[in-house]
Structure formats: structure tokens, C-alpha cells
Amino acid sequence: MNTLMDIRQELQTLASSAPAIIAATTTTAELADAEAAITGKRSPIAMARRGLGKIDPEQRRDVGILIKQVADALQHDIDQRRNELTESEETAALAADAVDMTLPGRAPVVGTHHVIQQVIDEIVDIFVALGFTVARGPEIETSFYNFTALNIPDTHPSRLESDTMYVDFGDADEGVLLRTHTSPMQARYMEQHDPPVYVVVPGKVFRADPLDPTHSPVFHQVEGLAVDTNITFGDLKGTLEMFAKQFLGKDTEVKFIPHYFPFTEPSAEMHAFSNGRWLELLGCGMVNPAVFENVGYDPSAVTGFAFGMGVERMAMVRHGIQDLRHLLENDARVLRQFV
Amino acid sequence: MKFPLSWLREFVDVPAMETAAIVDAFESLGHEVEEASPLEPEFSGVVIGKVLDIAPHPNADKVRVCQVDIGSEVAEIICGAWNFEAGAYVPVAVPGAVLGGDFVIAKREIRGLTSNGMICSEAELGLGDDSDGIMVLNTDYPQASESLGMDFASVVGLPDVFFDISITPNRPDCMSVVGLARELAARLDLPLKERSPRLEATADATPLTITIEDDRCPRFTVRTVRNITVGASPHWIRRRLSIAGMRPINNVVDASNYVMLELGHPSHAFDRQRLGDSIGVRRARDGETITTLDDLERTLVAEDIVVVDASDQAVSIGGVMGGASTEVHAESVEVVIESAMWYPPMILHSSKRLQLRSEASARFERGMDPNFCMTAADRVAELLVEHADGVAGSAYDVYPNPVEPLVIEYPLSETNRILGIDLDATTSIGYLEKLDFGVTGEDPLSVVVPTRRPDVKRPVDIVEELARLHGFAAIPGRVVSGTGGGLPPDVVAERKLRRVLTALGLSEAMTFAFIGPSDLDVLRLAPDDPRRDTIAVINPLREEEGVMRTTLLPGLIKAAAGNHARGFLDIAYFEIGKVFLRSDDVLPAQPDHLGFILTGERDADIGEQARGVDVRDGVGILERLGSATGASLTVAAANEGGFHPGRCGQVSIGGQIVGLVGELRPSVAAEAGLKGRVVMAEIALAPLLATVEPWRLVAPSSYPPVVFDLAFEIGKNVGAGNIVETIKDVTGPELESVSIFDVYSGDGIADGRVSVAVRITMRAADRTMTENEVTPMRKIMVEAVESRHDATLRGSV
């Protein structure tokens, strides 16, 4: 006969004995059995709930509250224990799935951009940020654009076959050749565009130099040209110094020393102080009025500066490359370093 | 240009300053200093002595006993040299002196007598090659007599500084000590100490006849010198020539070379007896021969120019090198010194063609001052009078059209227009006059250009002179702001391609733009393949670089083969570069191509089997490029020489064939030194990059898809990919994707046929698709595939 006293008694007994039973379970299966015994259909709590109807209605509410308190407290213990057991059982199961964490990872293969292309892109981007655009031109070129339009006289030694590679194409008298610099695009670009002109020209160039640690018959240059109504040598200096600071670091010191190129006057070489020594970085100068005349610009109306730099040289300076041939042999051990 | 600083100091009083400051001064003028290094004596403790008395050694025949006044005392020195007499001033290494760095001189007993030091030869002092006798200073260094007992090093100008300066080709006037002195004097604001040669000449008894028949010799001057004694030059001349990199020969040749280095203008000395009484200049005859001073017989062409003797025999190649037949020799007593002006381009071509580049030709090819010829000849004569006992004879000068200095009108505003700074008239005139330009007027300036300066022709050349003297460093910089435009679409698109390719695991290779003709044979191109119509390099460096590439494949094959030879077999390289194709234009067609090569294994992992690459890796990469650029790229089976007949495809973009993809034939790969399957592709870049518009976003649908599979049986040679193309072709925008997930032949499939299973995903942007809607679409797909590809549906719709 379930009396009020009996129900209270049983609940108190359960509340004091069940936590130890729950804590004593060692597997989720044991816990499930224990849970059935404590809160299941035949558990004292279920019995108490079923007996609630027979209780004096005045007491029923208090007893109901007591049942809920005991049931909630035990369910909390059970859930907590279940979490503990689930995690420890998962951990035990994962031990069999362990990986030697000192093994190398399974890395996807990622290719590299050639360092020459990287340096070209970087140089180009610096000038694009200064408001220049980009043009590219033919690698097989006429001697007119490669030499004559650039004020290089017919008798200049660079035209000789000891310096320039010619190809068997077209008018032999004119001379069709592998361009020896990117400068022909100065003339081509000015012929095709009215001033103002702000352009850089990256590309391959060719010289009859046998391969050795510092020479290659094929290498790369980036040419630059700025022509406007008010371009001065001061613009050349400031702009190229800015380039050097962007490319080599903002504390880079530069100096301009007079030099000679037929297509610029005055001409200069820019040297930069890098890694403890002065390096010849590029050639530059104010566009020679003869070049303006050759492309149909009025040299009394516009002025301009031009520059050209060797990309391999820039890459060698930047990356500590002593032998140019490393850039040319496509050795997998080298290319993978071009990250 | 190599020289010691002491030589330069003869022309400009360079104050005592750090060598680095002199280097900076030259550099600021545009004369790059390749080397500036101290010249130190290789001895210490050597003083000037005077031999007072010489007596035989009582116990030895080969040495003599000398009493030598060394200032502080008279020392008894035993000496084995016999090339001096009492009265000779000599260098004496006193006890304690050190020669050659570690040879210490001490008192020494020689056959019973004590030698209190050593009288030294050039070789012992590191001052020359002569070790036959001791140095006798009386003639070569007369100032020695005033410095008895003093340090010997100062007599020979030590310590000194060696300079090697590289001269830009526009400045022939600086290929001399005086030329560089003039520049340095201008920079340091010091006077240039120039002087004219002083000669007391007596006319030739028999005058020379001079005939100039070629206007490429615009001036020809001669000075004769008689009564000479040919012998060694004074030590200081020999030493300076050696420092400058020239070998001393004899006092006549040395004088000519010395003057070339000192004043810039080359000259040549003929033996008068061998030359005869006539000298001329004419065009060479084709096939004419001359034996030059280096004892080589040279064959000339009509473009060359020669100096001829009375019998019209060539005795010199004008401006390039003299001939052996009239060479000055030990018994020569009279010389004819020629100092001429030669047409620079002719010198350039002759010396290059003859491979005879001399110090003289290097100067003449850049252009010498025609108004300086006579001075140079006279300076040679002066040296011969002083150092070869010569007597100056007559001067001859054929100069039909004297060159007048150029006058340039220079508006001062030009300075600001080009340099961005203002220089007033006074400053500008000051700079120009320092460089020996004559200036009159105020604005514009009338600038008279010295005839030694062929580089100054227009006002902008004056700007350069002003900028050099003002100093490039003093011109303030300013950063330009361009007119914009940014990266053109083709550059943007190409960069994107490179990013996709590297993300797909390919590395960028760069190979030469020229290949060898046999590289195309390796590829087994058909005889009429247009890629065999290569453009040859006329002067290739190597035979295997003899023609311009018409395809990227050979370069990539070589790049991969080099790695295979080194044991690196897993290669994935791409290259973007030009190929060169014949055209009817002025220039060849030079389209950009993209090529790639894949070899070796993929997905290698610990304990797992890697798989080898095959052609589908190549197709997959191309498809990725197509989707990255928006190009509709398809591949169809093709047969191509050099490629695997069952694993080669033609690549098309928008229906236009743009290239190929395939595996090399195993025999082709093996011949090229490649191991395993070799996947290659090459396509023209322009069609791939044609879609340059920025991509537009397609918003993803939030409605559920309808997914179903279809399996068809088709003929083996139909090409499963065509089923996909057909389904895309006949289905509307609701088709989200169609992909092949199984290709099967064998049990249950008829011979010669394969089963192809495709998974189709349909999804509408604006609604949930219903079965009623999808069913007719599915029917259209099946009918189209069946009718176009002779296919049968397996199972039911």
C-alpha cells in the first residue's frame, strides 16, 4: 500500500543511493541499465508518479514537486556520467586510429612561377601604381626599330654580328634580328600613341653572348618610357629612386652617375646601395631629341625619360644567385625554390 | 684606360686627397672607375747611392768592389753587375733593407771581404723585368743626383695609385691621361697643365713625297726624326707603359705608344730607309696581302685602307696596324712618324673583320681630333730627341679640308626644360669653359665645341655637359604621376592563367627561343608540317640553337629530359612564350603559345601506390584553363606525328582548333631521354584569352535539385565525351551539371560497345522543379544521344 510516507521514504532512499550507482558505471551500456533502473518504467520514480493520483489532493502538489526534484537531480547525474563515458569510450576507440604525428604531411603539389616572371610582375606593378601602363612587342625585330629609330648609327659596333643575332627573314638589306633590348618598343609605342606616354615594356632580349655565369644569349629586360610636356631629369631621378625603394626597401640609397646611350641624353646609370655594396641597377636618361624626331614627336614640345633594367640581374641581386645558368636550366631543384 | 696617378698629376695638380674622393670625382663625371688600388714599393730601406770608385775583388773575377756614397757614409759593396762605372747613381739596399716582402739584406762576406749592402736591379726592386744589370739612374732619373742618401722609392714615384677607368664609347677624348686630367681639373676647379712639344727641327735633305688618294683619310701628318739610336726606353717610360698594360718594345715604338696614352692620338713610326722617299694612302685592293707587325699575313678587301711606300706596296693598314716590312729595328737611324685622322666606321669594320683590334684602332674607330695630329707627331719626335738622341726633321701635313669647330646656339631655358633646374649664364659659362668650350653671348649662348668632342652636336649635348659639372646629385628628384591605364586585359588574363597553372601543380619553365633543326625530327613532324618551316638564325652561337622555335614542345622536352637525367622523374612544367612563324609581313608572326609537359607519378604517399600521369591529366588541366578563362574548350581524338595514336587529341576553343594534347609515343619519349608516359600539350594563347571581360556573378539557386542517372551503350570509337556535349546542347538553363561517372565494357555489353553512365543535375533558379517538368527534358536528352551517337539507353527512362 503506497502511502504518502512510503513515497517520500522511497524517493529519499533513491536520492541518496542512486548517485553512487551512476558513478559506479564504467560503460555507456552499464549506464543505460542503471538509467532504466533509476528513471525507467519500473523505477521508484515511475512508481511514485503513478501513485500520485491516490494521494490526498492537498499533499499532491508538494509530492509532485519532490518527485520532480529527485528525478531532475538524478537525470543530471546520469547525463553528466553519459558525457564522461561517451568521451572516454571515443578516446579509447581513437587510440587505434592514431597517426605518427612526426610523419610528413600529405601536401598537395603547388607549382611555382619562374622567378624571372615574378620579378617582371613586381617591377611592372610598381610602375603601374605610379600611373604607367604596360605594352609588349615583337622579339624578332627590324634593325630600324632596334637601332636606327633609337639614334644608333649605322656604324655602331652593336649592329655587328658579333653582338647581334640576325635571322633569315624578309629584306636582307634591312636586317631582321632578335631584338637586343626592349628599347625598340619606345619607338613603336610612340609611333602608335600620341603623348603623354607612361609605359613599361617587359620582355625577352637576345645578344650573341655565349652562356657563362654572368651572360646568356637570352635574357629579360623591363623598359620604361615617360613622355609629357614637362618631364625633366628631376622626374627621372625621383621616379627611379622611388622604384628602388619599392623594390629593394625604403631605406635604399641610390646615386645617378653619368653614362652614355645613343637614345638618351643626358644618360645615367642608377646605382643602389644594397647588402653593403653599390650595385649598378639600371640605365636611364632623357629621351634623345633625335628619337622624338624619328617617331614624329616634336622635341621642342615634349620631353621624356626612358630606362631599362635587366631582370636577371635584379633577381640575382635579390635572391643571392651567383650563376645566371641556374635561372636557365629548369632544374626541378631550382624551380621549386621559386616560391 | 689604365694609368698611375703620378702621370695624371703631370697635367693637373691633384691635391692630396683620399683615393675614394678621386674615384667619386671621376664617377660623378661619368667615368666609371673599375679599379683604384695603391701602388706600393716592394722594398724598404733602399737609398740613392753614388758609386765613387770601383776596384777588382782580390779573390774573385766575377765581382767588383765598389765604394758607394750613401749620404751618411761611404759603404763598401761587392757587386756582380758590370753595367756601370764610377759616377753612377744607383739604388742601394743597405743592411736592414727588405726586398720583395721578405728578403732581408744584411752585411755579408763574399770571398773574404764584407759587402755592406746590395746595389739593386729593376727585377730585384719589383720595378721591371731587367735583371741583367743594376739600375743606373743618371739618365732616366737625373733628379737622383740631388737626393743622395734619400729614400729611393720617391725617385720612381712611389707610393702611387693605379687607376683603371672605363671610358664610354662617346668619349674618345678621354682615352688618354690628358683627357681624364682635363675632366678632373674641371671637376676640382684646377687649371690643366697642357704644353706644346718644343722641337728644334732641321729640314730633311730629301723631302718626302706624300700622296693621299682616299678621302677616308682626311688628314695625314708626318714628322721625321734622324740620327736616332734605337734601344731601350728610359725606365719611367717602360714602367708607365707596363702599368697601362702595354709591352715596352724599344724607344721608338714606346714613344709612339707613350704619346697615345698621354695625349690620346695614335701614331706610327716607319723606318725611313725601308720606306723610301715617298709615302701615300690609298684604298686596299681586294685580295692584297700585308704582313703586319705581329708577323701574320693579312688579306685585305677594298673597304680597307692602306699606307703605301714608293713602290705602292702596302706598309701599314691605316689606323689599325703597321706592316712588318718597314718596322723600326735595332739599326734604324731615321724614322717617319705618321699621325693621321682616319674615318671611324672604316676603322671599325676593318679591325673587326681582320680581328685586329689594337689600342690605335679602338681610338680611331671612336673618332680622334683631326686638329691634333701634328701635335701628337711632334710629341713623339720630342721624346725621340730626348731619349733616342734624335734630331727632328721636317713636318708634312696633308689636310685639304680643315675641320672647323662646331658652334651651338644654346638657349638657357633648355637647362630647365630638360633638367628641371635653372642655371644662370655665369654658372653655365663657367662650367663650359672649364671643359674647354668657347662661349660668347649671354642667352642664347654661342658655344664653340672643341674638335676633340665628336659627342657634342646639339643643345641637348650641352645640357649633358652642364648636368655633369653641376652634378647629377644636385638635381632634386620628383616622382611622376602617370596617366594610368593599369594592366592591359591581356596581361591580367595571362597572369590569371599562370596562377591557375601553378595552383594545378605546374611550375613555370623558361626555355630558349631558338632550337636545333633536329629537335623537330625527334617529334616526327611530317615533312610538310608548317612547323618545319623555321626561320634560321644567321649567326647562331651553337648549331643546336640554329633556328627560331615554331613550337614550345622541344624546349619543354629538353627541360624535362634534363631532370630525368638527374633522376627527377616527376615533372610538371609549363611555359608561355612566343613561337616564330613565316609570314608575308615585314616581320614573322610571333604568337604566344602555352605548352606543358607532365611526367612521372602523382599522389605518391607512404604505403600507397602512386599512379603514373596519363593523357587525362593533360585534358583536365586544359579544361580547368577553359573554365578559368571562360573559353569553351573541347578535345577531340586526333592523330599527330610523334604522339600515341590512341592518346592524342585536338584542342578547340569555340570550334576553332588551337592546339593539341597527348602522350608522346613511347619510342619518341625514349629517344628524347624521357622515362614513362609523357603528357604534353601546346595551344595558342590568344583564343584562350579572348574572353577578357571580367566574369559576372551567377547567384546560386536556393531551390532543390533533381538528380538522375542515365546509362548509354555506344560504339567504342564514338567518344563518351560527346554524350556530355549533346546533353548540354539540347538542355536548357536548368541543366546544372552533367558528368560521366562510369565507363564500362565486358559482361553484358556487346563487343565493340561500351556503357557510359552519366549523372545529371537539374536545378531552376526560381522554382522547385517537378517530375512532370523533368520527364520530357530527360526524354529529349535520351533521344538526342541515341540519334546522334548510335546509342541505346540501358534500363528505362
Side-chain angles (χ1 to χ4, degrees):
Chain A
M1 175 76 193
N2 281 325
T3 65
L4 183 61
M5 281 304 288
D6 288 343
I7 289 173
R8 285 184 188 276
Q9 184 66 47
E10 286 215 25
L11 286 174
Q12 270 152 16
T13 306
L14 185 67
S16 61
S17 64
I21 295 169
I22 294 166
T25 58
T26 57
T27 67
T28 48
E30 278 177 32
L31 180 65
D33 291 346
E35 186 177 15
I38 295 164
T39 64
K41 286 177 185 164
R42 297 180 192 287
S43 66
I45 288 175
M47 305 287 260
R49 284 200 180 108
R50 282 203 289 274
L52 210 53
K54 297 170 187 161
I55 291 173
D56 174 1
E58 284 180 13
Q59 302 283 347
R60 197 177 292 159
R61 186 169 179 277
D62 286 351
V63 174
I65 288 170
L66 179 66
I67 294 171
K68 185 168 175 0
Q69 277 173 349
V70 172
D72 284 357
L74 291 175
Q75 191 62 49
H76 177 264
D77 287 358
I78 289 165
D79 290 347
Q80 190 176 331
R81 182 63 182 157
R82 183 181 294 111
N83 286 345
E84 289 166 14
L85 290 172
T86 305
E87 185 175 329
S88 62
E89 283 173 14
E90 185 184 46
T91 302
L94 290 180
D97 198 34
V99 164
D100 176 355
M101 288 309 290
T102 64
L103 285 178
R106 196 184 283 123
V109 177
V110 176
T112 55
H113 297 258
H114 200 286
V115 70
I116 293 302
Q117 190 61 44
Q118 292 179 34
V119 172
I120 286 174
D121 288 349
E122 192 178 339
I123 295 168
V124 162
D125 288 346
I126 290 170
F127 285 101
V128 165
L130 293 171
F132 286 64
T133 188
V134 185
R136 295 183 289 184
E139 291 170 12
I140 294 186
E141 188 50 283
T142 62
S143 66
F144 174 80
Y145 283 107
N146 198 76
F147 295 123
T148 312
L150 296 170
N151 195 38
I152 300 173
D154 287 346
T155 52
H156 197 274
S158 66
R159 292 184 183 242
L160 296 173
E161 289 194 1
S162 53
D163 289 5
T164 298
M165 284 186 271
Y166 287 84
V167 297
D168 182 14
F169 184 87
D171 182 357
D173 292 339
E174 162 61 18
V176 177
L177 48 80
L178 299 178
R179 66 175 175 190
T180 59
H181 47 184
T182 40
S183 309
M185 270 307 283
Q186 285 188 30
R188 284 186 179 275
Y189 198 85
M190 285 191 278
E191 277 186 350
Q192 291 157 10
H193 299 84
D194 289 331
V197 162
Y198 294 86
V199 67
V200 287
V201 183
K204 275 187 170 57
V205 299
F206 305 82
R207 304 267 170 93
D209 287 330
L211 197 57
D212 71 22
T214 54
H215 295 88
S216 164
V218 187
F219 56 104
H220 298 77
Q221 285 184 340
V222 177
E223 186 84 8
L225 178 68
V227 180
D228 211 328
T229 51
N230 58 348
I231 298 279
T232 69
F233 193 82
D235 293 304
L236 174 155
K237 280 189 65 184
T239 306
L240 293 178
E241 180 172 1
M242 175 60 80
F243 162 74
K245 288 176 187 301
Q246 298 273 50
F247 189 80
L248 293 173
K250 78 178 169 58
D251 296 327
T252 302
E253 216 185 314
V254 299
K255 64 181 178 184
F256 292 82
I257 63 177
H259 201 68
Y260 168 69
F261 305 107
F263 34 95
T264 50
E265 183 80 353
S267 303
E269 271 180 351
M270 184 173 79
H271 294 219
F273 196 74
S274 176
N275 288 329
R277 62 199 179 103
W278 285 100
L279 294 163
E280 178 190 324
L281 214 57
L282 53 82
C284 54
M286 298 300 291
V287 178
N288 193 308
V291 174
F292 283 145
E293 284 161 3
N294 291 339
V295 300
Y297 278 17
D298 176 0
S300 68
V302 292
T303 53
F305 70 76
F307 59 88
M309 61 186 101
V311 177
E312 277 75 1
R313 182 176 180 78
M314 299 294 209
M316 290 168 85
V317 167
R318 169 77 72 80
H319 298 286
I321 300 162
Q322 306 295 329
D323 190 330
L324 178 59
R325 289 171 293 190
H326 289 311
L327 298 176
L328 304 168
E329 284 168 350
N330 298 303
D331 187 324
R333 295 165 297 174
V334 173
L335 294 198
R336 76 163 70 110
Q337 295 181 50
F338 295 168
V339 288
Chain B
M1 186 71 209
K2 301 184 178 81
F3 59 91
L5 180 61
S6 55
W7 200 350
L8 195 76
R9 284 208 155 104
E10 289 186 7
F11 294 95
V12 56
D13 285 320
V14 184
M17 60 201 281
E18 294 288 327
T19 301
I22 301 175
V23 171
D24 285 348
F26 274 125
E27 203 177 72
S28 73
L29 292 160
H31 305 299
E32 191 184 347
V33 178
E34 302 277 353
E35 188 183 342
S37 52
L39 284 171
E40 303 284 355
E42 295 173 25
F43 53 83
S44 66
V46 178
V47 300
I48 296 164
K50 181 182 184 186
V51 179
L52 301 177
D53 181 48
I54 305 176
H57 191 294
N59 307 320
D61 295 342
K62 292 187 175 168
V63 297
R64 300 187 292 179
V65 180
C66 307
Q67 303 303 321
V68 184
D69 181 353
I70 55 170
S72 53
E73 58 177 307
V74 175
E76 184 168 279
I77 297 174
I78 317 292
C79 183
W82 292 71
N83 66 321
F84 63 99
E85 301 302 333
Y89 285 87
V90 293
V92 180
V94 299
V98 181
L99 305 187
D102 58 1
F103 180 49
V104 181
I105 302 298
K107 291 189 182 186
R108 189 173 151 220
E109 190 178 300
I110 297 173
R111 297 250 176 159
L113 291 179
T114 297
S115 183
N116 297 291
M118 185 172 103
I119 307 176
C120 303
S121 69
E122 281 176 31
E124 284 158 346
L125 295 170
L127 292 172
D129 296 332
D130 190 352
S131 58
D132 289 345
I134 52 102
M135 283 186 85
V136 179
L137 309 174
N138 302 45
T139 310
D140 293 0
Y141 296 104
Q143 70 272 30
S145 63
E146 290 153 26
S147 312
L148 198 61
M150 309 287 271
D151 181 29
F152 168 72
S154 62
V155 170
V156 287
L158 291 173
D160 205 339
V161 184
F162 169 78
F163 278 91
D164 182 3
I165 296 185
S166 104
I167 307 297
T168 54
N170 61 324
R171 293 301 302 273
D173 63 301
C174 287
M175 299 176 82
S176 64
V177 173
V178 71
L180 287 168
R182 183 179 293 110
E183 295 271 303
L184 192 62
R187 163 58 76 235
L188 301 178
D189 205 9
L190 295 168
L192 181 71
K193 298 189 288 179
E194 243 182 328
R195 63 170 196 86
S196 299
R198 281 183 293 273
L199 287 179
E200 284 175 30
T202 52
D204 293 350
T206 313
L208 273 177
T209 309
I210 301 183
T211 317
I212 307 302
E213 291 176 352
D214 191 325
D215 59 10
R216 294 176 303 168
C217 174
R219 189 178 186 188
F220 192 86
T221 71
V222 163
R223 172 69 75 174
T224 59
V225 182
R226 293 188 296 274
N227 196 37
I228 58 162
T229 308
V230 176
S233 295
H235 177 258
W236 56 270
I237 288 186
R238 285 184 282 127
R239 183 164 155 74
R240 283 181 172 176
L241 290 177
S242 298
I243 290 172
M246 300 194 80
R247 197 164 55 89
I249 309 288
N250 60 44
N251 50 5
V252 178
V253 176
D254 292 353
S256 170
N257 285 337
Y258 187 88
V259 170
M260 175 174 68
L261 295 169
E262 180 183 62
L263 304 178
H265 204 104
S267 57
H268 180 66
F270 299 93
D271 178 275
R272 171 83 193 252
Q273 274 65 43
R274 291 178 173 183
L275 179 71
D277 292 332
S278 166
I279 189 167
V281 172
R282 65 162 168 80
R283 185 174 279 273
R285 302 190 179 100
D286 266 324
E288 183 171 6
T289 60
I290 177 173
T291 301
T292 41
L293 285 171
D294 50 9
D295 284 326
L296 292 174
E297 187 179 87
R298 312 278 180 172
T299 304
L300 304 179
V301 298
E303 281 70 41
D304 299 325
I305 198 167
V306 288
V307 179
V308 294
D309 63 9
S311 60
D312 200 37
Q313 286 295 305
V315 292
S316 165
I317 306 171
V320 177
M321 192 177 267
S325 67
T326 52
E327 185 176 2
V328 172
H329 53 96
E331 283 78 39
S332 294
V333 293
E334 184 172 352
V335 292
V336 171
I337 301 156
E338 163 225 301
S339 171
M341 170 68 189
W342 307 98
Y343 181 58
M346 168 191 73
I347 298 297
L348 176 69
H349 282 279
S350 289
S351 64
K352 278 246 179 187
R353 189 181 51 74
L354 294 163
Q355 295 187 321
L356 229 180
R357 306 205 64 198
S358 59
E359 289 276 347
S361 71
R363 286 169 172 76
F364 282 126
E365 75 182 27
R366 289 170 168 83
M368 286 286 106
D369 181 359
N371 293 325
F372 197 73
C373 298
M374 199 73 242
T375 311
D378 284 351
R379 173 67 177 139
V380 176
E382 186 183 50
L383 287 174
L384 293 181
V385 170
E386 288 171 6
H387 304 296
D389 307 328
V391 174
S394 296
Y396 305 85
D397 188 359
V398 181
Y399 193 17
N401 301 300
V403 174
E404 292 293 329
L406 183 68
V407 179
I408 297 175
E409 293 296 304
Y410 184 76
L412 288 172
S413 60
E414 201 62 6
T415 310
N416 191 299
R417 198 172 78 93
I418 303 294
L419 299 180
I421 53 167
D422 284 312
L423 295 177
D424 62 21
T426 312
T427 310
S428 307
I429 293 168
Y431 287 153
L432 292 170
E433 285 181 343
K434 282 187 205 176
L435 289 168
D436 207 17
F437 287 75
V439 187
T440 56
E442 284 198 346
D443 193 4
L445 306 178
S446 285
V447 182
V448 182
V449 182
T451 49
R452 75 174 80 87
R453 293 295 303 272
D455 59 311
V456 179
K457 298 188 207 70
R458 341 180 17 150
V460 73
D461 301 318
I462 302 290
V463 173
E464 184 191 24
E465 296 306 295
L466 296 173
R468 284 197 313 132
L469 276 227
H470 189 67
F472 281 10
I475 299 171
R478 181 174 76 171
V479 182
V480 295
S481 174
T483 44
L487 293 175
D490 63 318
V491 175
V492 173
E494 198 182 304
R495 285 191 181 185
K496 183 176 181 178
L497 269 193
R498 287 192 161 94
R499 283 200 303 274
V500 172
L501 285 160
T502 53
L504 293 173
L506 287 86
S507 287
E508 184 172 23
M510 286 197 178
T511 71
F512 280 1
F514 17 70
I515 57 175
S518 62
D519 294 337
L520 297 171
D521 297 333
V522 174
L523 279 175
R524 301 197 193 161
L525 298 188
D528 60 346
D529 190 300
R531 287 171 293 178
R532 281 196 183 272
D533 192 12
T534 53
I535 296 163
V537 179
I538 292 170
N539 51 329
L541 290 168
R542 310 192 309 161
E543 185 54 36
E544 55 269 43
E545 295 167 358
V547 300
M548 300 308 292
R549 66 183 175 193
T550 50
T551 157
L552 301 181
L553 300 180
L556 287 167
I557 287 173
K558 280 186 201 166
N563 283 294
H564 281 208
R566 291 185 284 265
F568 294 90
L569 302 181
D570 301 343
I571 295 299
Y573 282 177
F574 75 94
E575 179 172 19
I576 293 175
K578 291 190 185 304
V579 299
F580 303 89
L581 310 171
R582 290 208 171 269
S583 79
D584 296 329
D585 285 335
V586 177
L587 289 175
Q590 304 175 45
D592 285 310
H593 276 197
L594 161 67
F596 62 75
I597 186 165
L598 313 171
T599 67
E601 296 183 328
R602 295 295 181 270
D603 307 328
D605 194 19
I606 298 161
E608 285 177 38
Q609 190 67 41
R611 67 173 183 83
V613 295
D614 68 30
V615 69
R616 291 193 47 245
D617 291 297
V619 174
I621 288 167
L622 289 171
E623 286 167 350
R624 286 288 181 198
L625 297 179
S627 52
T629 57
S632 62
L633 184 147
T634 56
V635 175
N639 205 347
E640 168 83 23
F643 280 82
H644 187 314
R647 292 176 171 229
C648 179
Q650 217 166 45
V651 183
S652 300
I653 290 176
Q656 177 203 352
I657 296 168
V658 297
L660 62 92
V661 56
E663 288 177 23
L664 290 184
R665 270 179 184 272
S667 55
V668 170
E671 192 184 338
L674 292 166
K675 300 177 179 70
R677 290 187 190 270
V678 177
V679 179
M680 298 199 79
E682 178 171 20
I683 61 170
L685 206 56
L688 190 61
L689 303 185
T691 317
V692 294
E693 293 297 318
W695 56 269
R696 316 281 301 184
L697 181 73
V698 178
S701 167
S702 52
Y703 294 91
V706 177
V707 181
F708 57 91
D709 296 345
L710 296 173
F712 295 96
E713 223 179 87
I714 56 168
K716 259 197 169 118
N717 298 323
V718 168
N722 290 316
I723 294 175
V724 173
E725 293 305 314
T726 295
I727 290 172
K728 283 183 184 169
D729 186 37
V730 299
T731 316
E734 296 86 356
L735 181 69
E736 183 171 277
S737 71
V738 49
S739 58
I740 298 171
F741 67 91
D742 192 34
V743 177
Y744 169 78
S745 61
D747 281 354
I749 308 295
D751 272 0
R753 297 191 54 93
V754 291
S755 163
V756 179
V758 294
R759 176 154 301 159
I760 290 150
T761 305
M762 313 280 295
R763 194 191 313 248
D766 54 355
R767 64 188 187 281
T768 300
M769 293 186 79
T770 63
E771 196 58 27
N772 284 346
E773 192 179 7
V774 172
T775 303
M777 291 182 174
R778 180 159 43 197
K779 198 169 171 217
I780 289 168
M781 293 178 202
V782 170
E783 281 170 5
V785 171
E786 284 185 333
S787 65
R788 292 190 196 177
H789 306 300
D790 187 25
T792 50
L793 184 71
R794 303 184 72 214
S796 56
V797 176

